[in-house]
């Protein structure tokens, strides 16, 4: 599966998530596991692709370090030397 297709699946999952949780919310990257049929490497590739190609896309680390779960750590995507746990579109 190519990264453009993966990115589309991630965006679709995010849109569904915001329908359920409100517009403009940050979605945990670990939540994608429940919403797409992608492995962790594909999810990371998709997030990195979106970060490079979609100006409205944003990824960030959780500011509250105590709230990071083992799943958050397992699915974190490193961008610019920082672990990112959540995604959004503006």
């Amino acid at each position: 599966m190519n990264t453009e297709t993966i990115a589309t699946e991630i965006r679709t999952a995010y849109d569904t998530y915001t329908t359920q949780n409100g517009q403009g919310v940050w979605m945990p990257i670990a939540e994608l596991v429940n919403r797409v049929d992608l492995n962790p490497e594909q999810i990371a590739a998709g997030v990195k692709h979106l970060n490079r190609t979609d100006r409205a896309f944003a990824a960030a680390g959780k500011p509250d370090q105590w709230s990071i779960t083992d799943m958050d750590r397992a699915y974190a995507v490193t961008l610019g030397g920082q672990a990112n746990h959540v995604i959004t579109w503006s």
Side-chain angles (χ1 to χ4, degrees):
M1 183 179 304
N2 68 40
T3 53
E4 193 64 40
T5 302
I6 292 167
T8 300
E9 286 196 36
I10 291 171
R11 178 61 197 241
T12 301
Y14 175 82
D15 289 342
T16 302
Y17 183 83
T18 60
T19 298
Q20 298 166 342
N21 296 285
Q23 294 297 314
V25 298
W26 290 86
M27 177 183 179
I29 295 171
E31 178 66 25
L32 289 169
V33 174
N34 301 320
R35 297 177 179 269
V36 294
D37 187 22
L38 300 170
N39 65 43
E41 292 81 19
Q42 290 172 313
I43 291 171
V47 169
K48 289 175 182 179
H49 176 77
L50 287 162
N51 189 61
R52 284 189 313 272
T53 62
D54 188 337
R55 290 184 181 191
F57 176 81
K62 284 188 173 179
D64 300 325
Q65 294 294 305
W66 58 268
S67 70
I68 297 173
T69 67
D70 289 340
M71 283 289 287
D72 289 327
R73 282 183 184 74
Y75 286 91
V77 176
T78 302
L79 300 168
Q82 298 286 336
N84 293 269
H85 308 102
V86 292
I87 59 172
T88 194
W89 271 263
S90 56

